[in-house]
Amino acid sequence: GENVEQHPSTLSVQEGDSAVIKCTYSDSASNYFPWYKQELGKRPQLIIDIRSNVGEKKDQRIAVTLNKTAKHFSLHITETQPEDSAVYFCAATLNAGKSTFGDGTTLTVKP
Amino acid sequence: GAVVSQHPSWVICKSGTSVKIECRSLDFQATTMFWYRQFPKQSLMLMATSNEGSKATYEQGVEKDKFLINHASLTLSTLTVTSAHPEDSSFYICSAEGGRANEQFFGPGTRLTVL
């Protein structure tokens, strides 16, 4: 089955700095890669996603890049703010909608 | 956007009892729903894929007789934890596939505590 590895497990940055989280996946058939933000005790919220026919996608301060050949994708957050502090999960999804999640990255943005 | 609800949001029960959790897609039809379990400070682990009108597909290691899933309509899937034990205490989250292909909408989760 699919295996997703996510790094780093914790990340602390100063407000205004950039944050980068990286994920690798194993199944080349995965074609949809969402990123979720989860605050304590709440549901995961989709913040950005990318499909396998696209290499990069940007939405304001958030961007995602995908390297299909190397089977890795990354989340980039620029100009971080304290409210960006949360746990971020990447996922790799097959056609049937079945997602495998990374272990999560706890991002702390220090004011 | 698409809305998924879950009920109850939290439940405390005694060991040995059964608990039913409902997952509803409120403004769209979902032929496929997914059930996840999340332990504290851990990732979401897929338990099963629920398909409307057919049997659920369980992930390896998940006991289908303990975690009963019923997807009776295009807007409702239920997860019943039978004979719950303290080790079943967890955050259970459902998601429904809707809108764009493969995009999932998550319910708010149900926190189960078994005493």
Side-chain angles (χ1 to χ4, degrees):
Chain A
E2 176 65 275
N3 181 48
V4 177
E5 293 190 0
Q6 182 172 345
H7 297 282
S9 56
T10 60
L11 179 60
S12 181
V13 300
Q14 209 65 38
E15 182 177 1
D17 287 350
S18 295
V20 180
I21 303 171
K22 299 181 179 181
C23 286
T24 60
Y25 62 100
S26 61
D27 193 335
S28 56
S30 290
N31 57 14
Y32 174 64
F33 307 91
W35 284 90
Y36 298 93
K37 176 183 180 182
Q38 187 179 30
E39 296 176 350
L40 191 62
K42 296 188 177 180
R43 78 186 85 188
Q45 297 275 10
L46 178 69
I47 56 172
I48 197 166
D49 56 17
I50 192 166
R51 296 187 185 272
S52 57
N53 58 349
V54 176
E56 185 175 357
K57 184 176 177 181
K58 189 174 181 181
D59 182 5
Q60 299 183 338
R61 298 186 297 110
I62 296 174
V64 57
T65 57
L66 171 66
N67 184 326
K68 279 172 43 182
T69 304
K71 297 199 193 71
H72 67 71
F73 55 113
S74 301
L75 176 71
H76 304 253
I77 305 175
T78 59
E79 300 171 30
T80 53
Q81 301 165 3
E83 50 266 37
D84 293 331
S85 297
V87 179
Y88 291 80
F89 291 99
C90 64
T93 307
L94 294 167
N95 261 332
K98 181 175 160 179
S99 292
T100 301
F101 284 75
D103 288 340
T105 297
T106 301
L107 173 65
T108 303
V109 180
K110 298 177 181 178
Chain B
V3 178
V4 175
S5 71
Q6 253 181 270
H7 178 82
S9 55
W10 58 271
V11 57
I12 301 173
C13 69
K14 292 182 179 179
S15 187
T17 60
S18 294
V19 175
K20 180 187 281 190
I21 303 170
E22 294 185 347
C23 177
R24 293 182 186 272
S25 56
L26 298 185
D27 52 0
F28 67 102
Q29 294 182 330
T31 54
T32 304
M33 291 184 175
F34 302 92
W35 285 97
Y36 295 86
R37 181 167 52 185
Q38 186 176 33
F39 292 109
K41 297 187 179 181
Q42 292 189 23
S43 187
L44 287 83
M45 299 300 296
L46 180 65
M47 298 175 67
T49 302
S50 172
N51 298 295
E52 187 267 336
S54 64
K55 290 184 178 180
T57 304
Y58 290 81
E59 294 300 300
Q60 193 172 8
V62 178
E63 301 175 57
K64 62 180 181 181
D65 294 331
K66 180 170 182 63
F67 299 99
L68 301 178
I69 292 172
N70 185 287
H71 195 151
S73 76
L74 288 171
T75 59
L76 173 64
S77 175
T78 60
L79 168 68
T80 301
V81 184
T82 62
S83 187
H85 291 284
E87 57 266 30
D88 297 324
S89 299
S90 186
F91 194 47
Y92 291 86
I93 308 176
C94 71
S95 72
E97 191 179 19
R100 297 183 299 138
N102 294 344
E103 184 174 2
Q104 292 188 43
F105 298 93
F106 284 88
T110 297
R111 187 161 302 284
L112 170 64
T113 301
V114 185
L115 302 176

